[in-house]
Amino acid sequence: MSEPSEHGATAASSLPAAVPGDHVHSSLTKLTSGGAATGSRGEMGEALLEVRGLQKHFPLTQGIVFKRTVGHVRAVDGVDLTLRRGETVGLVGESGCGKSTVSKLIVALERPTAGSIFFKGKDVARMGGRALKEYRREVQIIFQDPYASLNPRMTVGDIVAEGWSVHSDVAPKKGRLKRTQELLDRVGLNPDYVNRYPHQFSGGQRQRIGIARALALQPEVIVCDEPVSALDVSVQAQVVNLLEDLQDELGLSYLFIAHDLSVVRHISDRVAVMYLGSIVEEGTAEEVYSAPSHPYTQALLSSVPLHEPHLRGQKDRILLQGDVPSPADPPSGCRFRTRCWKAQDVCATDPPALVDRGQGHPSACHFAEARTVVPVDAE
Amino acid sequence: MTRPDLSKATAPVPADGRPVLEVDDLHVEFRTRSGVVHAVNGVSYSLTQGETLAILGESGSGKSVSAQAIMGILDSPPAVITGGGIWFEGTDLLTQPEEEQRKVRGPGISMIFQDALSSLNPVYSVGFQIGEMFRAHRGMSKKDARKRAIELMDRVRIPAAARRVDDFPHQFSGGMRQRVMIAMAIALDPRILIADEPTTALDVTVQAQVMDLLKDLQAETGMGLILITHDLGVVNEVADNVAVMYAGEIVERGTVDDVFTRPAHPYTDGLMSSVPQVEAKGGRLQPIVGQPPNLARIPSGCPFHPRCSRRRLGAEAAPGRECSTDVPPLRLVVPGREAACHYSEEVLGVRAQ
């Protein structure tokens, strides 16, 4: 993971350009960076969040009174990730690959079994009390389901302002209503709606409320766990654009978790592909989509239907056989070997490391070889 | 609601035959306590043998309701079919008594749903449920039906079918469950298969497997396939023709190649540019502003006009083509293509005919 932070830099250079709604912007920058200018929060491209060898094993138990542990579901089994300031890292994978568990570990909703998460160089596992509280303010999360993640008995204003009752130093008591309204305005909701309840909003609007709630605590990192998958296609784009605008304005970093490969390509600077609890390939969005080198990434990308009629039938379709093995009993060696057409004896014994084997970016395959599976749209 | 006669579908009809299914000016509404919801407002389409017609639309566009009307599985009340006809092989199903409809639909039209787990009965083995088709419609014995169930499971490529026939739905993965549903649906060799978001709940690699299976089965049996989806990519890869629905109406219809290359309706156009593609990073997304309409309060005139970037209101509009008052009919814009927009020629970039 020794990429130069090229993408962090491009994000920085585009920062002053795209600022719609200037009056809102100025007050909000102040709002979300606690009085200090965004620049003083640190250099763009500096590693904010580093995940090393992260594991989470859930015990499988039997028995009602005396619970015996009969095994472990290895939901996350050795994940390395780096999130730099101002960039978006996309984490893709199919259901059950452990990507949502990674998000829960990062926002400290679950404790890792092994491995560590470093935030600005400090180990989150060793944080306690005040430091952990501060970490939880800095790293916010947006959930997939905008229907389940908002309390139906609270007004929108209360939902957005709720974090301030824990982190009271973020917003002084006096101006809270005004700040809530500014936040609602910024995410594209009518500020007069503060006293409405979640059921009065559509799915896209509720997701905006979730975003406003995350922004209220002036975070540096937002973990977006499938933020647009529950939304209609025409509304998805509105939310994606909002997330991009907020990033440009506030210098946020996103860990964008999704199964929709098209959305991930669109929004991410770097992409990590997950399979059965570990990362199989990592690189810039361009590298991973144009020259995937892990067989799983190739199969995944080749399954995505294309939108352009003239490209139809131009890609090699790689159809995978069988289903994903159970994470309670993963295959030895390479996790993907049971479905891989390149598998050889070495794959069953040696787990491949996530390193660059000459294909230009890290890939966890002994026989990594870049190959184009998604035809390039010339138009 | 005055609508032009749309029964003469312009979707390319192969010379060899009449359409198997014709939906003609179908109207469905839901009468609820809080008002009448107009879910389907004059939808017409037709399907020939071997054709794949995609019905593309967002949630609440009426795409599923129109399919449920064909299958006769609308909950009524509250749903009421207020007009139109559903012609299957020359008979109007809606004029037949219910028992007759069942006899026609059973072997003739079948349907698969998005959520395979809730569509299968959890307390019966999958073999029993597939075999039920043969017992109910063909009067087969339990033993023969089970044998046929195994054959079908083989046909939908469920590995080790003979061993898994007595398994229960929860023992199968999502993709395999969807195959079980497909097996049930094709059991009686239907002329038409309606697939309502068949792969929405599945991962992309499994989605590709299931779509491949559907295509292969269609090539074998020559059945017509109605594919209801919101996924532009799936439509592009699988369908021949596409009907785009918005607010309970078809707003554009044509071959997939034509519609996807050059949309003629602003909604289709907006949909295309609001969705990121896997084949290109692309620039900023161009979302359609606003929300899909509430079907209890569909906007006057063109239902899309409040969200449309090309709308012409008041004095700007050509006479009789004011977007907020005049309902645009679904009309032929260029050969093989229909759109319900007053200004489709502009969207397409061709001169008005």
Side-chain angles (χ1 to χ4, degrees):
Chain A
M1 255 173 272
S2 56
E3 252 107 46
S5 59
E6 183 194 331
H7 284 265
T10 46
S13 61
S14 68
L15 217 154
V19 196
D22 261 329
H23 59 288
V24 188
H25 165 236
S26 57
S27 65
L28 204 80
T29 313
K30 211 164 55 202
L31 180 76
T32 47
S33 57
T38 324
S40 72
R41 303 173 87 187
E43 286 300 306
M44 299 300 268
E46 156 209 20
L48 266 187
L49 202 62
E50 285 179 274
V51 174
R52 292 289 167 263
L54 191 67
Q55 293 187 0
K56 178 69 192 179
H57 297 174
F58 294 101
L60 284 170
T61 55
Q62 251 178 20
I64 297 162
V65 182
F66 301 103
K67 288 206 167 131
R68 293 181 295 125
T69 302
V70 292
H72 284 95
V73 173
R74 295 157 175 268
V76 176
D77 214 12
V79 163
D80 293 321
L81 265 180
T82 303
L83 180 63
R84 301 192 180 89
R85 189 185 297 278
E87 78 171 349
T88 302
V89 171
L91 187 60
V92 285
E94 296 182 281
S95 48
C97 73
K99 54 192 194 303
S100 283
T101 308
V102 169
S103 77
K104 285 184 188 150
L105 290 166
I106 288 178
V107 295
L109 288 173
E110 295 272 4
R111 280 196 160 272
T113 310
S116 28
I117 301 164
F118 295 96
F119 182 69
K120 296 182 178 168
K122 285 192 213 111
D123 190 345
V124 175
R126 288 160 190 264
M127 285 181 186
R130 191 175 283 179
L132 188 62
K133 184 177 161 189
E134 184 61 14
Y135 173 73
R136 287 186 153 141
R137 183 186 68 72
E138 294 273 27
V139 181
Q140 289 288 312
I141 185 166
I142 303 168
F143 295 99
Q144 166 173 9
D145 187 349
Y147 295 85
S149 58
L150 302 176
N151 187 337
R153 292 168 180 244
M154 285 169 76
T155 65
V156 169
D158 289 343
I159 288 172
V160 172
E162 193 182 12
W164 292 331
S165 60
V166 177
H167 301 276
S168 50
D169 48 325
V170 178
K173 275 218 168 82
K174 259 176 128 181
R176 283 189 184 169
L177 178 65
K178 192 162 166 281
R179 289 195 165 196
T180 307
Q181 288 181 323
E182 279 170 1
L183 280 165
L184 289 182
D185 188 37
R186 182 58 202 95
V187 298
L189 293 171
N190 186 338
D192 299 337
Y193 289 173
V194 281
N195 290 323
R196 294 201 178 186
Y197 288 89
H199 73 264
Q200 293 169 296
F201 294 89
S202 68
Q205 289 174 321
R206 283 185 217 203
Q207 203 55 294
R208 289 172 194 268
I209 298 169
I211 295 171
R213 172 173 64 183
L215 287 178
L217 293 176
Q218 305 168 5
E220 296 216 41
V221 174
I222 298 184
V223 176
C224 310
D225 190 357
E226 304 263 13
V228 295
S229 12
L231 306 178
D232 261 325
V233 275
S234 72
V235 179
Q236 254 186 22
Q238 298 172 1
V239 173
V240 167
N241 282 352
L242 173 65
L243 287 172
E244 287 181 337
D245 290 345
L246 291 171
Q247 181 169 47
D248 286 349
E249 277 174 42
L250 307 169
L252 296 168
S253 315
Y254 294 137
L255 179 64
F256 194 93
I257 295 169
H259 67 274
D260 186 328
L261 290 140
S262 315
V263 173
V264 167
R265 177 174 201 172
H266 176 81
I267 202 167
S268 304
D269 302 311
R270 287 190 300 124
V271 174
V273 183
M274 245 183 123
Y275 181 77
L276 211 55
S278 53
I279 288 175
V280 297
E281 182 157 4
E282 209 242 323
T284 65
E286 205 45 42
E287 286 167 349
V288 172
Y289 281 78
S290 314
S293 64
H294 194 283
Y296 176 66
T297 316
Q298 292 167 357
L300 195 64
L301 286 173
S302 81
S303 316
V304 182
L306 303 177
H307 288 190
E308 292 291 334
H310 67 273
L311 294 175
R312 197 187 305 139
Q314 279 187 26
K315 65 178 180 189
D316 320 334
R317 185 68 150 284
I318 305 166
L319 277 188
L320 285 180
Q321 298 306 312
D323 288 318
V324 182
S326 160
D329 184 22
S332 65
C334 172
R335 296 288 170 88
F336 186 60
R337 70 176 166 86
T338 50
R339 302 171 79 193
C340 184
W341 61 97
K342 285 182 172 176
Q344 295 183 16
D345 293 345
V346 62
C347 302
T349 52
D350 297 351
L354 183 66
V355 290
D356 190 344
R357 290 180 178 78
Q359 71 277 15
H361 58 277
S363 168
C365 175
H366 293 301
F367 308 102
E369 196 183 352
R371 169 177 170 188
T372 306
V373 288
V374 179
V376 181
D377 191 359
E379 275 175 31
Chain B
M1 195 129 331
T2 52
R3 294 260 155 202
D5 179 32
L6 299 171
S7 56
K8 283 153 207 78
T10 50
V13 177
D16 61 300
R18 286 156 30 83
V20 190
L21 177 79
E22 278 187 275
V23 176
D24 177 23
D25 197 24
L26 184 71
H27 286 80
V28 181
E29 57 187 45
F30 289 81
R31 293 180 182 154
T32 64
R33 215 177 297 168
S34 51
V36 179
V37 175
H38 301 275
V40 177
N41 307 309
V43 159
S44 306
Y45 48 79
S46 66
L47 190 75
T48 53
Q49 277 301 82
E51 178 189 345
T52 303
L53 170 71
I55 299 182
L56 179 69
E58 297 181 274
S59 47
S61 61
K63 56 193 195 306
S64 293
V65 173
S66 68
Q68 285 166 3
I70 298 172
M71 281 305 286
I73 52 170
L74 282 172
D75 281 332
S76 53
V80 185
I81 297 177
T82 49
I86 295 169
W87 296 77
F88 176 69
E89 294 184 324
T91 41
D92 186 357
L93 290 178
L94 296 180
T95 57
Q96 308 271 326
E98 218 160 285
E99 198 48 36
E100 284 299 307
Q101 291 186 26
R102 248 169 66 88
K103 272 188 202 148
V104 176
R105 282 192 185 109
I109 313 175
S110 59
M111 185 161 178
I112 54 177
F113 302 90
Q114 172 177 348
D115 187 357
L117 185 59
S118 59
S119 311
L120 294 169
N121 191 330
V123 300
Y124 292 108
S125 70
V126 296
F128 183 86
Q129 293 183 59
I130 299 172
E132 194 173 6
M133 296 291 164
F134 298 109
R135 296 194 305 275
H137 283 280
R138 300 263 162 90
M140 264 187 204
S141 72
K142 261 190 177 169
K143 204 173 141 203
D144 289 342
R146 186 172 179 277
K147 212 185 284 167
R148 292 296 297 273
I150 297 174
E151 285 171 25
L152 274 169
M153 285 170 72
D154 254 333
R155 216 168 136 206
V156 296
R157 300 176 206 151
I158 296 177
R163 193 156 50 79
R164 303 215 65 182
V165 65
D166 296 322
D167 281 357
F168 289 86
H170 71 268
Q171 292 167 297
F172 289 81
S173 67
M176 288 297 148
R177 274 180 216 140
Q178 200 56 274
R179 285 164 201 259
V180 171
M181 284 237 293
I182 294 172
M184 288 170 71
I186 61 164
L188 302 175
D189 282 319
R191 307 284 309 279
I192 293 169
L193 178 64
I194 303 173
D196 188 356
E197 305 261 10
T199 57
T200 307
L202 304 177
D203 282 317
V204 275
T205 53
V206 184
Q207 164 173 303
Q209 293 168 359
V210 170
M211 289 322 306
D212 266 29
L213 172 69
L214 281 177
K215 266 205 252 183
D216 290 351
L217 289 171
Q218 189 185 19
E220 277 171 39
T221 61
M223 63 186 176
L225 181 63
I226 297 180
L227 180 72
I228 298 169
T229 183
H230 66 269
D231 189 326
L232 296 164
V234 169
V235 173
N236 178 40
E237 299 242 335
V238 180
D240 307 315
N241 297 309
V242 60
V244 184
M245 282 190 76
Y246 185 79
E249 291 174 32
I250 292 179
V251 294
E252 177 158 12
R253 180 158 63 186
T255 67
V256 172
D257 283 9
D258 285 353
V259 173
F260 275 51
T261 319
R262 279 168 65 213
H265 193 281
Y267 175 65
T268 323
D269 196 22
L271 213 51
M272 306 269 163
S273 42
S274 65
V275 181
Q277 306 181 344
V278 77
E279 54 261 48
K281 177 150 182 111
R284 196 177 159 77
L285 300 176
Q286 305 292 328
I288 305 174
V289 295
Q291 310 287 332
N294 180 343
L295 293 176
R297 289 189 301 274
I298 295 177
S300 62
C302 169
F304 186 61
H305 86 263
R307 306 176 74 190
C308 184
S309 57
R310 293 171 177 272
R311 63 171 176 241
R312 294 210 186 155
L313 305 175
E316 287 182 320
R321 297 198 287 166
E322 214 276 350
C323 293
S324 66
T325 52
D326 301 318
V327 179
L330 187 65
R331 65 196 169 90
L332 202 63
V333 182
V334 288
R337 182 90 71 90
E338 292 167 297
C341 173
H342 293 304
Y343 302 98
S344 279
E345 285 80 6
E346 272 173 38
V347 184
L348 261 178
V350 299
R351 234 170 289 144
Q353 286 166 338

